[in-house]
Amino acid sequence: MVNKISIIGAGRVGESTAQMLAIKKLTQQIVLIDLDEKYAKGVALDIQETASVYHFDTQLVGSNDIANIQDSNIVIITAGIPRKPGMDRADVLAINLKIIDEIMDGIIKYAPNSYVIVVSNPVDVLTYYANKKANWPRNRIMGQAGILDSMRLSSFIAIETDYSINDIQAMVLGGHGDTMVPLTRFTTISGISIEHLLDQKTIDQLIQRTRDGGAEILNLKQKSSAYDAPGAAVTIMVEAIVHNKNRLLPCITMLKGEYGQTDLAIGVPVILGGNGVEKIIELKFTEQEQQAFDTSAQVIKSLIDEI
Ligand code: NAD
């Protein structure tokens, strides 16, 4: 257990993450920061009131003052605006970039020794920006995307095939979006690649559903995008850091020559432990996999160029 985890942005993903962190007893205190002070306090109190059910002693605090993140061990960034009608991707990027810029000022000032997990979208670009702004060692600022995308692929395989979800391990790398790179070679059911167990047409359909995973939830829910599965994905990262688990997980990290890329933040397999991103695992890609990864990298780079 650590002393303090702060979540900036007490919206849906922030709230779901806070609830799961409390249930898993990963920290003594959770601070939720939002522009809307009353809302942040309401979220904190609502979760606090679940303590007797889940038997946690975690204290929840809601505030609009980023100074309250002082000395956090981990800071999670879930603040931002979603895309609204009439806005293109560049508009969202410009607004969320400004939000991240301010938040990073606060993190650098009040929690200079923390590990930072970026969740706000476009998550690859914002993770890059957070790294550039702080100029900390790259192991301390990372982004979440691939764990969620892999969770989705695993779920779709289980739903489609009836194999137990407990035996399914998926690996999705690259950017968080249309060009994500699901690696079927390394997506297995009890260690056996799905390439041996499912026909190509089924695999293609599962991959397409994974690419459209966020949109599928949005279309169904209408009133909001996904937040429970994203919150769970962030919790896996926090748990790996807090309990020094050295888990091998797909995370967004800055590359310095790995996979033939530099000056880019993108999803790759890493060892996640007590020092954050302890190590980047370099897989030997096939030509096709490398091509898909390079395409994904190119898309992120063109967005980075916009900033
Ligand atoms: P939401 O609208 O429910 O919550 C966002 C919150 O951020 C709001 O409460 C808002 O008041 C707050 N906020 C805005 N600017 C702020 C600032 N400067 N300081 C503090 N708080 C601020 O949105 P959500 O559904 O929780 O999604 C949050 C972000 O996470 C979005 O950018 C979304 O696209 C992203 N997301 C990423 C993933 C992923 O896998 N990386 C998954 C789901 C959502």
Side-chain angles (χ1 to χ4, degrees):
M1 184 183 273
V2 293
N3 288 332
K4 185 165 170 178
I5 297 179
S6 293
I7 300 174
I8 323 260
R12 293 181 168 104
V13 177
E15 175 164 4
S16 181
T17 303
Q19 177 73 78
M20 273 184 258
L21 297 183
I23 291 174
K24 285 191 164 262
K25 304 177 177 70
L26 292 169
T27 176
Q28 277 167 1
Q29 192 181 57
I30 295 173
V31 175
L32 285 143
I33 304 286
D34 202 283
L35 291 178
D36 186 336
E37 182 182 19
K38 277 178 78 179
Y39 192 79
K41 285 186 188 304
V43 169
L45 184 58
D46 201 7
I47 296 172
Q48 191 76 70
E49 289 168 2
T50 68
S52 64
V53 176
Y54 296 115
H55 307 290
F56 60 78
D57 295 305
T58 307
Q59 182 203 14
L60 284 113
V61 176
S63 168
N64 63 348
D65 182 359
I66 199 155
N68 281 308
I69 73 166
Q70 181 89 44
D71 297 333
S72 295
N73 302 85
I74 298 174
V75 181
I76 301 159
I77 305 178
T78 53
I81 59 138
R83 197 157 146 185
K84 293 181 189 141
M87 289 172 91
D88 65 17
R89 187 179 270 191
D91 297 331
V92 179
L93 175 58
I95 292 170
N96 284 353
L97 200 67
K98 197 161 168 281
I99 291 173
I100 289 280
D101 187 63
E102 281 169 23
I103 290 171
M104 284 309 297
D105 281 334
I107 294 174
I108 292 164
K109 182 167 178 195
Y110 297 109
N113 299 313
S114 60
Y115 292 90
V116 176
I117 301 174
V118 182
V119 185
S120 310
N121 277 319
V123 62
D124 325 84
V125 185
L126 297 184
T127 304
Y128 172 88
Y129 186 78
N131 269 282
K132 285 286 169 187
K133 169 114 189 174
N135 200 22
W136 293 353
R138 64 174 168 168
N139 62 305
R140 284 174 49 207
I141 303 180
M142 64 213 88
Q144 188 302 119
I147 298 172
L148 173 63
D149 295 331
S150 302
M151 284 161 57
R152 284 182 171 149
L153 179 54
S154 297
S155 299
F156 298 149
I157 293 170
I159 292 165
E160 171 69 27
T161 65
D162 258 358
Y163 286 112
S164 165
I165 188 78
N166 294 315
D167 292 332
I168 302 172
Q169 283 265 335
M171 181 56 72
V172 182
L173 305 181
H176 189 45
D178 299 342
T179 62
M180 66 177 70
V181 185
L183 295 178
T184 51
R185 250 182 346 131
F186 301 113
T187 295
T188 63
I189 302 171
S190 275
I192 303 165
S193 164
I194 56 168
E195 293 176 358
H196 295 287
L197 298 168
L198 308 177
D199 60 62
Q200 194 55 48
K201 191 169 164 236
T202 307
I203 291 175
D204 290 345
Q205 282 167 351
L206 292 166
I207 287 177
Q208 193 54 48
R209 192 170 177 195
T210 304
R211 287 193 204 287
D212 299 336
E216 184 176 0
I217 300 284
L218 181 60
N219 283 336
L220 289 167
K221 282 189 168 174
Q222 291 287 325
K223 289 184 214 119
S224 87
S225 47
Y227 52 89
D228 284 320
V234 176
T235 303
I236 286 183
M237 293 177 74
V238 172
E239 202 174 26
I241 296 170
V242 170
H243 291 321
N244 189 19
K245 283 192 158 197
N246 284 347
R247 291 201 62 187
L248 197 164
L249 296 164
C251 296
I252 301 167
T253 192
M254 289 291 278
L255 298 186
K256 292 181 184 165
E258 296 89 355
Y259 291 96
Q261 300 287 345
T262 43
D263 207 34
L264 173 76
I266 189 167
V268 291
V270 307
I271 300 296
L272 196 62
N275 296 313
V277 176
E278 308 262 3
K279 188 178 169 190
I280 294 171
I281 304 290
E282 277 206 80
L283 299 171
K284 237 189 199 151
F285 280 156
T286 62
E287 209 174 298
Q288 204 185 5
E289 288 163 352
Q290 187 69 51
Q291 219 170 36
F293 187 84
D294 290 345
T295 303
S296 197
Q298 207 41 56
V299 169
I300 299 170
K301 274 188 175 157
S302 61
L303 281 174
I304 288 173
D305 285 345
E306 282 180 33
I307 61 171

mmCIF file of all heavy atoms in Angstrom, residues 273-293:
data_model
loop_
_atom_site.group_PDB
_atom_site.id
_atom_site.type_symbol
_atom_site.label_atom_id
_atom_site.label_comp_id
_atom_site.label_asym_id
_atom_site.label_seq_id
_atom_site.Cartn_x
_atom_site.Cartn_y
_atom_site.Cartn_z
ATOM 1 N N GLY A 273 6.752 -2.343 -12.798
ATOM 2 C CA GLY A 273 6.994 -2.720 -11.403
ATOM 3 C C GLY A 273 7.141 -1.490 -10.524
ATOM 4 O O GLY A 273 6.661 -0.397 -10.859
ATOM 5 N N GLY A 274 7.819 -1.660 -9.427
ATOM 6 C CA GLY A 274 7.957 -0.601 -8.430
ATOM 7 C C GLY A 274 8.630 0.659 -8.943
ATOM 8 O O GLY A 274 8.430 1.747 -8.393
ATOM 9 N N ASN A 275 9.425 0.542 -9.987
ATOM 10 C CA ASN A 275 10.051 1.725 -10.589
ATOM 11 C C ASN A 275 9.338 2.140 -11.875
ATOM 12 O O ASN A 275 9.951 2.690 -12.784
ATOM 13 C CB ASN A 275 11.529 1.464 -10.902
ATOM 14 C CG ASN A 275 12.329 1.225 -9.649
ATOM 15 O OD1 ASN A 275 12.200 1.971 -8.680
ATOM 16 N ND2 ASN A 275 13.125 0.169 -9.644
ATOM 17 N N GLY A 276 8.058 1.826 -11.963
ATOM 18 C CA GLY A 276 7.318 2.172 -13.179
ATOM 19 C C GLY A 276 7.726 1.262 -14.332
ATOM 20 O O GLY A 276 7.815 0.042 -14.168
ATOM 21 N N VAL A 277 8.010 1.886 -15.478
ATOM 22 C CA VAL A 277 8.430 1.094 -16.644
ATOM 23 C C VAL A 277 9.878 0.665 -16.416
ATOM 24 O O VAL A 277 10.820 1.428 -16.621
ATOM 25 C CB VAL A 277 8.288 1.914 -17.945
ATOM 26 C CG1 VAL A 277 8.819 1.121 -19.139
ATOM 27 C CG2 VAL A 277 6.833 2.294 -18.174
ATOM 28 N N GLU A 278 10.031 -0.561 -15.962
ATOM 29 C CA GLU A 278 11.363 -1.066 -15.593
ATOM 30 C C GLU A 278 12.167 -1.408 -16.847
ATOM 31 O O GLU A 278 13.389 -1.319 -16.859
ATOM 32 C CB GLU A 278 11.231 -2.328 -14.735
ATOM 33 C CG GLU A 278 10.303 -2.167 -13.523
ATOM 34 C CD GLU A 278 11.067 -1.886 -12.248
ATOM 35 O OE1 GLU A 278 12.292 -1.768 -12.309
ATOM 36 O OE2 GLU A 278 10.420 -1.770 -11.183
ATOM 37 N N LYS A 279 11.468 -1.834 -17.880
ATOM 38 C CA LYS A 279 12.165 -2.349 -19.054
ATOM 39 C C LYS A 279 11.203 -2.381 -20.235
ATOM 40 O O LYS A 279 10.010 -2.611 -20.048
ATOM 41 C CB LYS A 279 12.605 -3.786 -18.720
ATOM 42 C CG LYS A 279 13.505 -4.432 -19.716
ATOM 43 C CD LYS A 279 13.881 -5.816 -19.228
ATOM 44 C CE LYS A 279 14.574 -6.559 -20.357
ATOM 45 N NZ LYS A 279 14.757 -7.965 -20.059
ATOM 46 N N ILE A 280 11.727 -2.151 -21.422
ATOM 47 C CA ILE A 280 10.905 -2.303 -22.630
ATOM 48 C C ILE A 280 11.278 -3.639 -23.275
ATOM 49 O O ILE A 280 12.461 -3.938 -23.462
ATOM 50 C CB ILE A 280 11.158 -1.140 -23.616
ATOM 51 C CG1 ILE A 280 10.669 0.176 -22.991
ATOM 52 C CG2 ILE A 280 10.469 -1.398 -24.955
ATOM 53 C CD1 ILE A 280 11.041 1.428 -23.760
ATOM 54 N N ILE A 281 10.274 -4.445 -23.554
ATOM 55 C CA ILE A 281 10.533 -5.747 -24.185
ATOM 56 C C ILE A 281 10.487 -5.553 -25.704
ATOM 57 O O ILE A 281 9.465 -5.103 -26.237
ATOM 58 C CB ILE A 281 9.456 -6.784 -23.776
ATOM 59 C CG1 ILE A 281 9.370 -6.922 -22.258
ATOM 60 C CG2 ILE A 281 9.703 -8.124 -24.459
ATOM 61 C CD1 ILE A 281 10.539 -7.585 -21.591
ATOM 62 N N GLU A 282 11.569 -5.872 -26.365
ATOM 63 C CA GLU A 282 11.591 -5.725 -27.835
ATOM 64 C C GLU A 282 11.292 -7.060 -28.486
ATOM 65 O O GLU A 282 12.084 -8.000 -28.393
ATOM 66 C CB GLU A 282 12.938 -5.191 -28.293
ATOM 67 C CG GLU A 282 13.023 -3.682 -28.169
ATOM 68 C CD GLU A 282 14.017 -3.070 -29.149
ATOM 69 O OE1 GLU A 282 13.678 -2.892 -30.322
ATOM 70 O OE2 GLU A 282 15.138 -2.796 -28.706
ATOM 71 N N LEU A 283 10.157 -7.144 -29.137
ATOM 72 C CA LEU A 283 9.779 -8.372 -29.832
ATOM 73 C C LEU A 283 10.369 -8.354 -31.238
ATOM 74 O O LEU A 283 10.546 -7.293 -31.826
ATOM 75 C CB LEU A 283 8.254 -8.460 -29.945
ATOM 76 C CG LEU A 283 7.464 -8.499 -28.643
ATOM 77 C CD1 LEU A 283 5.978 -8.359 -28.934
ATOM 78 C CD2 LEU A 283 7.746 -9.789 -27.905
ATOM 79 N N LYS A 284 10.632 -9.534 -31.743
ATOM 80 C CA LYS A 284 11.046 -9.629 -33.149
ATOM 81 C C LYS A 284 9.780 -9.698 -33.979
ATOM 82 O O LYS A 284 9.100 -10.717 -33.987
ATOM 83 C CB LYS A 284 11.877 -10.911 -33.338
ATOM 84 C CG LYS A 284 13.236 -10.625 -33.895
ATOM 85 C CD LYS A 284 13.963 -11.860 -34.280
ATOM 86 C CE LYS A 284 15.436 -11.518 -34.366
ATOM 87 N NZ LYS A 284 16.289 -12.629 -34.068
ATOM 88 N N PHE A 285 9.459 -8.603 -34.645
ATOM 89 C CA PHE A 285 8.231 -8.560 -35.436
ATOM 90 C C PHE A 285 8.406 -9.292 -36.759
ATOM 91 O O PHE A 285 9.511 -9.315 -37.322
ATOM 92 C CB PHE A 285 7.870 -7.100 -35.757
ATOM 93 C CG PHE A 285 7.177 -6.357 -34.638
ATOM 94 C CD1 PHE A 285 7.236 -4.966 -34.590
ATOM 95 C CD2 PHE A 285 6.447 -7.025 -33.666
ATOM 96 C CE1 PHE A 285 6.586 -4.254 -33.586
ATOM 97 C CE2 PHE A 285 5.801 -6.328 -32.662
ATOM 98 C CZ PHE A 285 5.875 -4.943 -32.619
ATOM 99 N N THR A 286 7.314 -9.817 -37.282
ATOM 100 C CA THR A 286 7.310 -10.254 -38.684
ATOM 101 C C THR A 286 7.234 -8.976 -39.531
ATOM 102 O O THR A 286 6.940 -7.890 -38.998
ATOM 103 C CB THR A 286 6.072 -11.109 -38.996
ATOM 104 O OG1 THR A 286 4.913 -10.294 -38.782
ATOM 105 C CG2 THR A 286 6.003 -12.354 -38.113
ATOM 106 N N GLU A 287 7.422 -9.143 -40.821
ATOM 107 C CA GLU A 287 7.381 -7.966 -41.707
ATOM 108 C C GLU A 287 6.015 -7.272 -41.606
ATOM 109 O O GLU A 287 5.922 -6.048 -41.532
ATOM 110 C CB GLU A 287 7.624 -8.437 -43.141
ATOM 111 C CG GLU A 287 8.288 -7.390 -44.021
ATOM 112 C CD GLU A 287 8.622 -7.985 -45.372
ATOM 113 O OE1 GLU A 287 9.419 -8.949 -45.428
ATOM 114 O OE2 GLU A 287 8.049 -7.495 -46.348
ATOM 115 N N GLN A 288 4.972 -8.099 -41.572
ATOM 116 C CA GLN A 288 3.600 -7.567 -41.525
ATOM 117 C C GLN A 288 3.349 -6.816 -40.208
ATOM 118 O O GLN A 288 2.756 -5.733 -40.201
ATOM 119 C CB GLN A 288 2.636 -8.741 -41.652
ATOM 120 C CG GLN A 288 1.291 -8.359 -42.180
ATOM 121 C CD GLN A 288 0.346 -9.564 -42.151
ATOM 122 O OE1 GLN A 288 0.679 -10.642 -41.652
ATOM 123 N NE2 GLN A 288 -0.837 -9.369 -42.685
ATOM 124 N N GLU A 289 3.817 -7.388 -39.107
ATOM 125 C CA GLU A 289 3.633 -6.746 -37.800
ATOM 126 C C GLU A 289 4.389 -5.424 -37.747
ATOM 127 O O GLU A 289 3.883 -4.413 -37.257
ATOM 128 C CB GLU A 289 4.129 -7.680 -36.680
ATOM 129 C CG GLU A 289 3.226 -8.881 -36.437
ATOM 130 C CD GLU A 289 3.914 -9.994 -35.645
ATOM 131 O OE1 GLU A 289 5.142 -9.913 -35.408
ATOM 132 O OE2 GLU A 289 3.238 -10.962 -35.295
ATOM 133 N N GLN A 290 5.624 -5.431 -38.275
ATOM 134 C CA GLN A 290 6.435 -4.211 -38.268
ATOM 135 C C GLN A 290 5.743 -3.111 -39.070
ATOM 136 O O GLN A 290 5.705 -1.950 -38.658
ATOM 137 C CB GLN A 290 7.829 -4.505 -38.853
ATOM 138 C CG GLN A 290 8.799 -3.326 -38.739
ATOM 139 C CD GLN A 290 9.233 -3.027 -37.292
ATOM 140 O OE1 GLN A 290 9.661 -3.928 -36.587
ATOM 141 N NE2 GLN A 290 9.092 -1.783 -36.857
ATOM 142 N N GLN A 291 5.175 -3.542 -40.201
ATOM 143 C CA GLN A 291 4.497 -2.573 -41.064
ATOM 144 C C GLN A 291 3.305 -1.944 -40.320
ATOM 145 O O GLN A 291 3.115 -0.721 -40.350
ATOM 146 C CB GLN A 291 3.978 -3.319 -42.287
ATOM 147 C CG GLN A 291 4.114 -2.525 -43.573
ATOM 148 C CD GLN A 291 3.802 -3.418 -44.758
ATOM 149 O OE1 GLN A 291 2.921 -4.286 -44.695
ATOM 150 N NE2 GLN A 291 4.518 -3.216 -45.841
ATOM 151 N N ALA A 292 2.516 -2.792 -39.637
ATOM 152 C CA ALA A 292 1.350 -2.295 -38.896
ATOM 153 C C ALA A 292 1.801 -1.356 -37.776
ATOM 154 O O ALA A 292 1.198 -0.300 -37.538
ATOM 155 C CB ALA A 292 0.567 -3.472 -38.315
ATOM 156 N N PHE A 293 2.895 -1.720 -37.104
ATOM 157 C CA PHE A 293 3.412 -0.889 -36.010
ATOM 158 C C PHE A 293 3.904 0.458 -36.554
ATOM 159 O O PHE A 293 3.623 1.518 -35.989
ATOM 160 C CB PHE A 293 4.546 -1.625 -35.291
ATOM 161 C CG PHE A 293 5.031 -0.932 -34.050
ATOM 162 C CD1 PHE A 293 4.371 -1.114 -32.843
ATOM 163 C CD2 PHE A 293 6.132 -0.090 -34.090
ATOM 164 C CE1 PHE A 293 4.814 -0.463 -31.690
ATOM 165 C CE2 PHE A 293 6.571 0.563 -32.947
ATOM 166 C CZ PHE A 293 5.906 0.375 -31.745
#
